[in-house]
Amino acid sequence: MTPDALKDRFRPIFSPTSVAVVGVSRDLSKSGSRYFTALVKAGYMGKLYPVNPREETFAGFKCYPAVSAIPGPVEYVIISVPIQQIVGVIDDCVRAKVRAIQMFTAGFKETGGAEGKAIERQIVDKARSVGCRIIGPNCIGIVNPSAKIPYGPVSFRAEPGGFGFISQSGGHGSGIVSAATSRGIGLSKGVSFGNASDLVDADFLEYLAVDDDTRIIGAYLEGTANGRRLFETIRNAARAKPVIVWKGGTTGVGAEAANSHTGSLAAPYAIWSAAIRQAGAVSVLSLEEFMDTALAFQHLDKPVDRLAVISGIVDGGGGDSVSATDACIAAGLEMPAFSGATRAGLNSILKPVGTILRNPLDLGNPGPDPTLLARAIKTVAAEPGIDLIIIQKHVDMLLDQSDDAEPVRKMHQGFIELRKSLPKPLFVVSPPGTREAERVALDGELARGGVPVYPSLERAVRALVNVRAYYRMREKRGG
Amino acid sequence: MTPDALKDRFRPIFSPTSVAVVGVSRDLSKSGSRYFTALVKAGYMGKLYPVNPREETFAGFKCYPAVSAIPGPVEYVIISVPIQQIVGVIDDCVRAKVRAIQMFTAGFKETGGAEGKAIERQIVDKARSVGCRIIGPNCIGIVNPSAKIPYGPVSFRAEPGGFGFISQSGGHGSGIVSAATSRGIGLSKGVSFGNASDLVDADFLEYLAVDDDTRIIGAYLEGTANGRRLFETIRNAARAKPVIVWKGGTTGVGAEAANSHTGSLAAPYAIWSAAIRQAGAVSVLSLEEFMDTALAFQHLDKPVDRLAVISGIVDGGGGDSVSATDACIAAGLEMPAFSGATRAGLNSILKPVGTILRNPLDLGNPGPDPTLLARAIKTVAAEPGIDLIIIQKHVDMLLDQSDDAEPVRKMHQGFIELRKSLPKPLFVVSPPGTREAERVALDGELARGGVPVYPSLERAVRALVNVRAYYRMREKRGG
């Protein structure tokens, strides 16, 4: 299929002009009601129809007895009804010639029973007969911040951006959207596809590979029905864009859990991880590493090897410098010595006692003065042997010194400006501590200002190693 | 030395009846001033004397021109003056026959210069001539929450408890106290000892091994002057109490950084980690792992192997269950299948759809109902093949459903009561997300209520593996 044909095919799925929700009810805590109200709250701009034969209105909208009773075309239908009603609802959608159906309803193939499997096949056949595609069942469905479509009933407000994801798990999809929202990772499109009765992993990946909004692709997978096609798709996608794969069910017992979760059969992890890497993608082991790596890709379009680490804004950074070196060197990254010119430059900026003019640089407690920090950072950035700068800071220590958030905010503003003006990328490490409410608010401003923030140096370094591995693989393949 | 003699020797250091601070000044941002005001704010109950020859009063206290001018005995002196004044101040302390001196002042052995080294030797000789001991120089010094002595100028309010630590790095000491404060890890005593000019690593460890308040010992070390004595001390301590050692400078380059940080020579990490384990202690690689392990020891007095994991309080826990299994099995822990009786018990509590009655247990979205959760958790705890229960929850998802913290607070109250009444330990995993200010407040209540909370299942599991390794080693040694 040509890229343009693919884009056309997925347009009604990720950017539908009209959405109906089947299964709204007076009980606002029910999933159908929550899907609908979340769309309203998010400000979805298309036509929106609640469907329930026993209600006249829902949330101020006229309620329809069936999808086929809605005047005008309906592109996308979200279904959250008991499984006993599902065949009737699908027949109704077929009559209404909807383009795509997203099914929250569960109890199909994943139960392991013959009946659930048979119904799943039946509804797919019905939908396909009129060219309608199914997302799920047993899934949360799509998210598209630029179309103001939230992730299912969840109201987290991720910003539009370049990270597109697919997730076999609805819950991990929530984790992905939550982390994207809090860490300043912009989302292009995302989907939890559950049992993958019709549209499967590779279908969505093919689309994200050609989607103009998607610069980085992430996939949480538990198993697949067609490994050959999946890995061929990952290989093609990874030629164009970074692809991060988090494989769940990596152990025998975990694979059993995956089977009862989304009814998928899982091959041994060793086979998966080798295949992921051979396909030119990055293999990660947890949600943290998945999001950390996506954030690093958001800021890096080439590999980095040689780091400068700056610590000691308050109360000395000797221990931080030692630990930073341990983490970088253990991960196979370099921390080159500074040249004489850089050391001389730093010497003219920083006071001598407590300062250690090497890489890692211990600033020796100058405080959060943005002017001094900018001079020191620029001096380090001018060092030709450095690819990337990491600043370690402790918000609770900073607040403890002055009990005022304003100096920290000004320092962050300085980092945001530097990130834009510096010729090299700037990462920040900010561990949790005793003043989390204030730290999260301050670091949130920093992240939204475009500076990547990590909770530990180890996690930042792990992400950098993944980014490097991807670009090196692509270089080898001549990508 | 007998345990009682050791306790007597360290009583004036960790529980002094009087403290003088040399180096207070009108500038409240100076370290000496901050040390003094932090003691006042913390409510230190002993006698407190500011010392500065140019001031009449400081912070409402009468200011003395010298330590020897203070009427009555002074047990403990905190010094924060420029290095040029240090010999005079030490002479004054010797005249006043103080028992111990803590030196924030830096610029000694750690600079690598001959002069700093010579002064360091000179002041140690002077102090020892009257039986006075030195902590530091180039250190933050002691902390003792039960004596209301804060960690240097830092005002974090750790609660009294059983974790005693020593840290060669002042900054990592702050990190330890910060994490202890926020995660509900009670501190017995702690010390950052910097250059260890007089009292060294092994001295403090010997004391913590006999200190009645200390149940768990942690040590951040960069190098040591006497490896044989250090490891003999760790071996003896680990016979009585869990000992956690975090070795910084684990790489060649990191060791170089450690040398300029606290002037210590570091042996290769392979030698260290082997020696740590041979001594019967736990070797960790980061601040996170150090504190995670201390928290686990606070709740466990024997090894655990067999876990039950419960997920899916809201919106399904399928993905969480798969990931939990991956993490547990990869770490070499067991997740035994539930017996028929346990499954039957759970079946009578939980609704069938979306629920997966295995270990890991997916509750299938019952919401934060404390009664239902308590019934399910008690049913799992009654399973004889289970040593420990882990509950995974997502605070932002919980808040997103009802936009009200009260149900979460009630659920937490239920966990706190269960932790006390259950025959098995209960751990909680609560990852960061989109509503951090609320999560941190809620999880803080949970942690202060005595429930250990971890930000990821991987980190909880890593801590459990460390705890198991320690108790298994002790069993082998017949401890």
Side-chain angles (χ1 to χ4, degrees):
Chain A
M1 204 180 287
T2 68
D4 280 346
L6 259 177
K7 289 180 201 173
D8 281 350
R9 183 183 177 184
F10 279 86
R11 204 272 312 144
I13 293 173
F14 286 107
S15 309
T17 55
S18 48
V19 174
V21 179
V22 182
V24 300
S25 83
R26 278 181 204 193
D27 182 350
L28 292 180
S29 75
K30 293 280 181 193
S31 298
S33 308
R34 292 175 60 219
Y35 266 99
F36 192 91
T37 50
L39 278 160
V40 175
K41 274 192 217 162
Y44 170 66
M45 304 290 279
K47 292 213 167 82
L48 199 48
Y49 307 104
V51 176
N52 183 330
R54 291 182 308 280
E55 303 291 338
E56 288 293 311
T57 61
F58 178 81
F61 286 72
K62 175 176 163 50
C63 210
Y64 292 88
V67 177
S68 57
I70 295 167
V74 177
E75 287 198 332
Y76 198 78
V77 177
I78 296 168
I79 301 178
S80 176
V81 297
I83 190 166
Q84 296 76 14
Q85 300 170 22
I86 203 76
V87 174
V89 173
I90 297 290
D91 284 336
D92 177 46
C93 289
V94 166
R95 270 193 299 278
K97 295 204 170 54
V98 308
R99 303 283 300 273
I101 295 168
Q102 166 183 314
M103 291 171 67
F104 180 73
T105 304
F108 297 89
K109 186 175 71 176
E110 81 279 10
T111 61
E115 199 192 356
K117 206 170 166 182
I119 303 177
E120 193 170 309
R121 164 128 327 258
Q122 193 189 348
I123 57 178
V124 171
D125 288 345
K126 282 173 186 283
R128 281 187 178 165
S129 70
V130 291
C132 170
R133 306 310 301 258
I134 290 180
I135 297 104
N138 183 24
C139 79
I140 305 262
I142 61 153
V143 56
N144 181 354
S146 70
K148 305 218 185 279
I149 297 174
Y151 182 64
V154 176
S155 68
F156 308 147
R157 289 279 176 281
E159 293 292 316
F163 184 51
F165 77 86
I166 72 169
S167 174
Q168 207 154 349
S169 157
H172 282 332
S174 303
I176 293 165
V177 178
S178 168
T181 306
S182 61
R183 299 187 65 191
I185 300 170
L187 290 183
S188 57
K189 278 105 183 177
V191 63
S192 128
F193 59 88
N195 290 7
S197 66
D198 176 29
L199 286 170
V200 300
D201 42 24
D203 293 316
F204 293 109
L205 288 174
E206 271 176 14
Y207 169 65
L208 292 178
V210 300
D211 175 43
D212 297 321
D213 295 334
T214 301
R215 287 204 316 104
I216 306 145
I217 298 172
Y220 171 75
L221 299 171
E222 295 183 347
T224 186
N226 187 341
R228 185 182 294 265
R229 184 178 163 218
L230 173 65
F231 284 102
E232 204 46 56
T233 308
I234 292 175
R235 182 186 308 276
N236 286 331
R239 279 186 217 283
K241 308 174 181 182
V243 178
I244 311 160
V245 181
W246 171 23
K247 168 66 174 73
T250 57
T251 58
V253 187
E256 243 185 273
N259 187 25
S260 55
H261 176 214
T262 50
S264 57
L265 292 171
Y269 182 63
I271 296 175
W272 270 85
S273 66
I276 292 165
R277 276 191 289 268
Q278 274 183 16
V282 172
S283 177
V284 302
L285 284 167
S286 66
L287 177 62
E288 286 79 10
E289 193 186 353
F290 190 73
M291 301 309 289
D292 287 345
T293 304
L295 180 59
F297 273 121
Q298 185 169 295
H299 292 273
L300 299 172
D301 56 8
K302 58 175 190 249
V304 296
D305 284 294
R306 301 168 303 173
L307 311 187
V309 178
I310 301 176
S311 312
I313 296 171
V314 282
D315 277 343
D320 275 349
S321 292
V322 174
S323 302
T325 311
D326 287 343
C328 290
I329 304 302
L333 295 171
E334 296 166 40
M335 299 187 71
F338 290 152
S339 65
T342 300
R343 286 204 307 278
L346 291 170
N347 198 33
S348 71
I349 298 164
L350 303 165
K351 64 185 165 63
V353 173
T355 307
I356 300 178
L357 299 180
R358 58 159 71 225
N359 185 13
L361 173 64
D362 179 353
L363 295 168
N365 193 13
D369 173 359
T371 313
L372 181 143
L373 290 175
R375 285 174 64 204
I377 293 166
K378 280 180 189 164
T379 304
V380 170
E383 171 82 41
I386 297 297
D387 301 323
L388 179 140
I389 297 156
I390 298 182
I391 299 166
Q392 299 198 83
K393 69 183 172 71
H394 297 272
V395 172
D396 58 0
M397 297 289 295
L398 284 159
L399 293 174
D400 201 63
Q401 273 206 358
S402 65
D403 210 14
D404 177 4
E406 212 39 45
V408 182
R409 186 165 286 127
K410 279 189 184 137
M411 178 181 82
H412 284 183
Q413 203 51 49
F415 292 163
I416 289 168
E417 281 157 27
L418 274 174
R419 207 270 314 169
K420 289 176 197 152
S421 64
L422 278 185
K424 291 171 187 176
L426 181 72
F427 279 38
V428 167
V429 167
S430 178
T434 56
R435 299 177 72 157
E436 284 301 276
E438 290 150 287
R439 183 186 68 81
V440 169
L442 289 162
D443 282 355
E445 290 170 14
L446 191 55
R448 283 190 294 279
V451 177
V453 183
Y454 288 83
S456 77
L457 200 117
E458 287 82 358
R459 282 176 55 178
V461 163
R462 180 76 232 154
L464 293 175
V465 166
N466 287 340
V467 167
R468 184 178 65 172
Y470 168 75
Y471 286 117
R472 290 268 187 271
M473 282 187 285
R474 203 164 83 169
E475 279 167 12
K476 266 196 204 160
R477 293 164 64 186
Chain B
M1 201 179 288
T2 67
D4 281 345
L6 258 178
K7 289 179 199 174
D8 282 349
R9 183 184 179 186
F10 279 86
R11 204 272 311 144
I13 293 172
F14 285 108
S15 307
T17 55
S18 48
V19 175
V21 179
V22 183
V24 301
S25 83
R26 280 183 203 193
D27 182 349
L28 293 180
S29 75
K30 293 278 182 194
S31 297
S33 308
R34 291 176 60 219
Y35 266 100
F36 192 91
T37 50
L39 278 160
V40 175
K41 275 192 215 163
Y44 170 65
M45 303 291 281
K47 293 213 167 82
L48 200 48
Y49 306 106
V51 177
N52 183 330
R54 291 182 308 281
E55 302 291 339
E56 289 293 311
T57 61
F58 177 80
F61 287 72
K62 175 175 162 52
C63 210
Y64 292 89
V67 177
S68 57
I70 295 168
V74 177
E75 287 198 333
Y76 198 79
V77 177
I78 295 167
I79 301 179
S80 177
V81 298
I83 191 165
Q84 297 75 15
Q85 301 170 24
I86 203 75
V87 175
V89 174
I90 298 290
D91 284 336
D92 177 45
C93 289
V94 166
R95 271 194 300 279
K97 295 204 170 54
V98 308
R99 304 282 300 276
I101 294 168
Q102 166 183 315
M103 292 170 66
F104 180 74
T105 304
F108 297 89
K109 186 174 70 176
E110 82 279 9
T111 61
E115 199 193 356
K117 205 170 166 181
I119 304 178
E120 192 170 308
R121 165 131 320 262
Q122 193 188 350
I123 58 177
V124 170
D125 289 343
K126 282 173 186 284
R128 281 187 177 163
S129 70
V130 292
C132 170
R133 307 307 304 257
I134 289 180
I135 297 104
N138 184 25
C139 79
I140 305 264
I142 60 152
V143 57
N144 180 354
S146 69
K148 305 217 184 278
I149 296 174
Y151 181 65
V154 177
S155 68
F156 307 147
R157 289 279 177 279
E159 294 293 317
F163 184 51
F165 76 86
I166 72 170
S167 174
Q168 207 154 351
S169 157
H172 281 333
S174 303
I176 293 166
V177 178
S178 168
T181 306
S182 61
R183 298 189 64 190
I185 299 170
L187 289 184
S188 56
K189 278 104 183 175
V191 61
S192 126
F193 59 89
N195 289 8
S197 66
D198 176 28
L199 286 170
V200 301
D201 42 24
D203 293 315
F204 293 109
L205 288 174
E206 270 176 14
Y207 169 66
L208 292 179
V210 300
D211 175 42
D212 297 322
D213 295 333
T214 301
R215 288 201 318 102
I216 306 145
I217 298 172
Y220 171 76
L221 299 171
E222 294 183 348
T224 186
N226 187 342
R228 185 181 295 265
R229 184 179 163 220
L230 173 65
F231 283 102
E232 205 45 58
T233 308
I234 292 175
R235 182 186 307 277
N236 287 331
R239 280 186 216 281
K241 307 173 183 184
V243 178
I244 311 161
V245 181
W246 170 25
K247 168 67 173 74
T250 55
T251 57
V253 187
E256 242 185 271
N259 187 27
S260 56
H261 175 212
T262 53
S264 58
L265 291 171
Y269 181 63
I271 296 175
W272 270 85
S273 65
I276 292 165
R277 275 190 290 266
Q278 274 183 18
V282 172
S283 176
V284 302
L285 284 168
S286 66
L287 177 62
E288 286 80 10
E289 192 185 355
F290 190 72
M291 300 310 289
D292 287 345
T293 304
L295 180 60
F297 273 121
Q298 184 167 297
H299 291 273
L300 298 172
D301 56 7
K302 59 177 191 250
V304 296
D305 284 295
R306 301 167 303 173
L307 311 187
V309 178
I310 301 176
S311 311
I313 297 171
V314 281
D315 277 342
D320 275 349
S321 292
V322 173
S323 302
T325 311
D326 287 343
C328 291
I329 304 302
L333 295 171
E334 295 165 40
M335 300 187 71
F338 290 152
S339 65
T342 300
R343 286 205 307 278
L346 291 170
N347 198 32
S348 72
I349 298 164
L350 302 165
K351 65 183 164 65
V353 172
T355 308
I356 300 176
L357 299 179
R358 58 161 71 226
N359 186 11
L361 174 64
D362 179 353
L363 294 168
N365 193 14
D369 173 1
T371 314
L372 181 143
L373 290 175
R375 286 174 65 204
I377 293 166
K378 280 179 189 166
T379 305
V380 169
E383 170 81 42
I386 296 297
D387 301 323
L388 179 139
I389 297 155
I390 298 182
I391 299 166
Q392 298 199 81
K393 69 183 173 70
H394 297 272
V395 172
D396 58 0
M397 296 289 295
L398 283 158
L399 293 173
D400 200 62
Q401 273 206 357
S402 66
D403 209 14
D404 177 6
E406 212 40 45
V408 181
R409 186 165 287 126
K410 281 188 182 136
M411 178 181 82
H412 284 183
Q413 203 51 49
F415 292 163
I416 289 168
E417 282 156 26
L418 274 174
R419 208 269 313 166
K420 291 175 195 152
S421 63
L422 277 185
K424 292 171 186 174
L426 181 72
F427 279 39
V428 167
V429 167
S430 177
T434 56
R435 299 177 73 158
E436 284 302 277
E438 291 151 288
R439 182 186 70 81
V440 169
L442 289 162
D443 282 354
E445 291 171 15
L446 191 56
R448 283 190 296 279
V451 177
V453 183
Y454 288 84
S456 76
L457 199 117
E458 286 81 359
R459 282 177 56 179
V461 163
R462 181 76 232 154
L464 292 175
V465 166
N466 287 339
V467 167
R468 184 177 67 170
Y470 168 74
Y471 286 117
R472 289 267 187 270
M473 281 187 286
R474 205 164 82 170
E475 279 166 14
K476 267 196 203 159
R477 294 163 63 186

